[in-house]
Amino acid sequence: MADKKPVNHIRLTSHPDGDTPGVAIRWGESDPLRRGPVVATLTEPAHRNVIGTHAGSYAVYRALAVAAGMLPQDHRADLKDTSPAAEIGPHPSWNDSERIVSLDPWGAVAPQAFRSYADQGIDFRPTIAVTRAHINLPELRDAVEAGRLTPDGDLLTANGDIKVVKAAVDPVWHLPGIARRFGMTESALRRGLFEHTGGMFPELITRPDLHVFLPPIGGLTLYAFGDVASVSNRDIPLAVRVHDECNGSDVFGSDICTCRPYLAHGIEECVRTAQAGGAGIIVYLRKEGRALGEVTKFLVYNARKRQEGGDSAATYFQRTECVAGVQDMRFQELMPDVLHWLGITRIHRFVSMSDMKHDAIVRSGIEILERVPIPEGLIPADAKVEMEAKKAAGYFTKGPVADADGLAQVKGRELDA
């Protein structure tokens, strides 16, 4: 019998055997030096104190660049002059381990807050970036021409340019907090994430001492209109639109849903509120197709249009469940974290009629005084089926809302959690 060749075993973990990270993460600590930085880089594996790596869904592209020889494996980012272009926080919510569990509140100021760690050779990266920009949408130019918005030469110019502060946020999950948010044990969460990603991150099972996970998913972008520092002041009017990504509508103008019209309407409300001395926030989350993905969404489109009797509100969600097994996977429980990062405790005008979004925000401890619906005239004809289906399914509630054109004043009535 021929001798068997020795088998080379590969340890399925990115953390060296027997190593305990030298940098601890104490989630919720008010002192950043005690909290500790998120170290997810690969230049020195012994320093890593989280599961996963930076860049969210783009981490795989980085891995491909390294594998293809296009990027040095030991590259260290030169972060000179990359500090936030606007100051945000710290706020009391940053120290609350229950309020923020899906992003790192210190992520934008990591190079400044954790400088002493960098001086020790610890290679960490920001997970949030804050900059200033201008945006310009045809719908906003239309609002100017129609007289709904008036250029002021500062926030809004005559050609429709709008000044904003914008922030990009990568996901950083504190697993104990995520588990509590969904009412499960941390071990059940870890096993579910491990098993249903095909074992992508073995450390979820093998490293119970690591409680922070950087999932390979899309993050979010927020746009602030007016003084971003004022959004934490409960007495200054604040308009907010929380918007889940819809590439077909938001970018390419598909008229089968109300996504882009509602987004444009939300921006208009934010501009109007900021011009009146308040502020506005648009939160744009990468949750394409109700977090089912665009392939699933298009398959559902086909099924809806080809079914006997044609597309209808009565079978709208049934066709989604047939393909995806569930109506909606957005699970808005994590969405309020970015509002807490901004220090928001009260929203005067919430530009959404989604009960899922409203209830998640209110349960998290943020007051919503008024809900602003999309004006009937902005709903595309082909989106009527979706709107009727969502109404029938209880997605919307006619509570204390603004009048149809979105111009009513805040009534000051609070909603029950």
Side-chain angles (χ1 to χ4, degrees), residues 300 303-304 307 311 315-324:
V300 172
R304 284 171 52 193
Q307 65 187 339
D311 197 9
T315 59
Y316 177 87
F317 284 114
Q318 179 186 352
R319 299 311 302 152
T320 303
E321 288 186 15
C322 287
V323 178

Side-chain angles (χ1 to χ4, degrees), residues 213-238:
F213 173 43
L214 274 58
I217 60 174
L220 64 90
T221 310
L222 69 85
Y223 293 81
F225 303 78
D227 182 8
V228 69
S230 74
V231 303
S232 60
N233 188 328
R234 294 168 56 84
D235 298 323
I236 294 179
L238 176 65

Side-chain angles (χ1 to χ4, degrees), residues 33-308:
L33 295 182
R34 278 191 51 78
R35 209 305 297 270
V38 169
V39 186
T41 47
L42 300 168
T43 52
E44 180 51 70
H47 291 166
R48 286 169 49 80
N49 60 7
V50 301
I51 302 165
T53 188
H54 288 301
S57 59
Y58 294 96
V60 176
Y61 285 109
R62 180 189 182 280
L64 178 60
V66 172
M70 305 297 291
L71 174 67
Q73 184 173 347
D74 60 352
H75 171 73
R76 288 199 177 212
D78 180 354
L79 298 174
K80 181 181 179 182
D81 296 330
T82 64
S83 59
E87 186 175 347
I88 296 175
H91 297 290
S93 52
W94 291 22
N95 314 327
D96 189 332
S97 60
E98 300 300 319
R99 288 273 190 261
I100 299 177
V101 300
S102 62
L103 59 88
D104 178 10
W106 297 97
V109 293
Q112 295 77 38
F114 305 118
R115 181 168 297 164
S116 62
Y117 287 96
D119 291 343
Q120 299 171 44
I122 306 296
D123 182 16
F124 54 86
R125 310 286 165 88
T127 57
I128 300 174
V130 182
T131 190
R132 294 184 183 273
H134 291 82
I135 63 173
N136 193 309
L137 278 72
E139 292 89 341
L140 275 294
R141 294 198 296 273
D142 293 344
V144 171
E145 290 181 5
R148 298 195 307 273
L149 290 178
T150 302
D152 53 49
D154 182 22
L155 176 67
L156 174 64
T157 64
N159 71 351
D161 281 352
I162 306 167
K163 286 200 312 190
V164 295
V165 169
K166 63 181 182 179
V169 183
D170 278 341
V172 178
W173 287 7
H174 182 238
L175 293 173
I178 297 281
R180 287 192 295 271
R181 192 75 63 87
F182 283 91
M184 66 177 76
T185 64
E186 184 183 348
S187 61
L189 172 64
R190 286 172 172 268
R191 181 157 293 279
L193 292 172
F194 171 72
E195 291 180 352
H196 297 289
T197 57
M200 185 182 296
F201 294 97
E203 294 88 353
L204 288 165
I205 303 299
T206 64
R207 294 298 304 271
D209 58 312
L210 298 176
H211 296 287
V212 175
F213 173 43
L214 274 58
I217 60 174
L220 64 90
T221 310
L222 69 85
Y223 293 81
F225 303 78
D227 182 8
V228 69
S230 74
V231 303
S232 60
N233 188 328
R234 294 168 56 84
D235 298 323
I236 294 179
L238 176 65
V240 172
R241 164 76 182 162
V242 175
H243 189 90
D244 293 319
E245 178 182 27
C246 179
N247 181 64
S249 178
D250 297 341
V251 178
F252 293 102
S254 168
D255 63 356
I256 199 171
C257 63
T258 61
C259 295
R260 183 181 173 99
Y262 221 150
L263 177 60
H265 177 55
I267 294 174
E268 185 175 333
E269 288 292 327
C270 287
V271 171
R272 186 179 296 111
T273 303
Q275 286 183 321
I281 295 290
I282 298 289
V283 179
Y284 193 90
L285 299 114
R286 278 14 182 245
K287 295 179 180 178
E288 177 64 61
R290 298 192 215 116
L292 302 172
E294 202 165 37
V295 169
T296 295
K297 181 166 74 170
F298 287 6
L299 293 174
V300 172
Y301 284 169
N302 287 344
R304 284 171 52 193
K305 295 172 182 177
R306 292 170 179 168
Q307 65 187 339
E308 186 176 349

Side-chain angles (χ1 to χ4, degrees), residues 295-365:
V295 169
T296 295
K297 181 166 74 170
F298 287 6
L299 293 174
V300 172
Y301 284 169
N302 287 344
R304 284 171 52 193
K305 295 172 182 177
R306 292 170 179 168
Q307 65 187 339
E308 186 176 349
D311 197 9
S312 71
T315 59
Y316 177 87
F317 284 114
Q318 179 186 352
R319 299 311 302 152
T320 303
E321 288 186 15
C322 287
V323 178
V326 66
Q327 292 183 7
D328 195 322
M329 284 202 303
R330 284 174 292 181
F331 306 127
Q332 301 291 354
E333 284 83 354
L334 302 180
M335 172 268 293
D337 289 23
V338 67
L339 304 178
H340 289 292
W341 177 64
L342 292 167
I344 293 172
T345 59
R346 173 180 288 168
I347 296 171
H348 297 76
R349 294 170 62 76
F350 184 53
V351 190
S352 171
M353 290 309 296
S354 166
D355 285 351
M356 291 174 65
K357 294 175 182 177
H358 165 272
D359 294 350
I361 291 171
V362 174
R363 278 197 305 267
S364 79

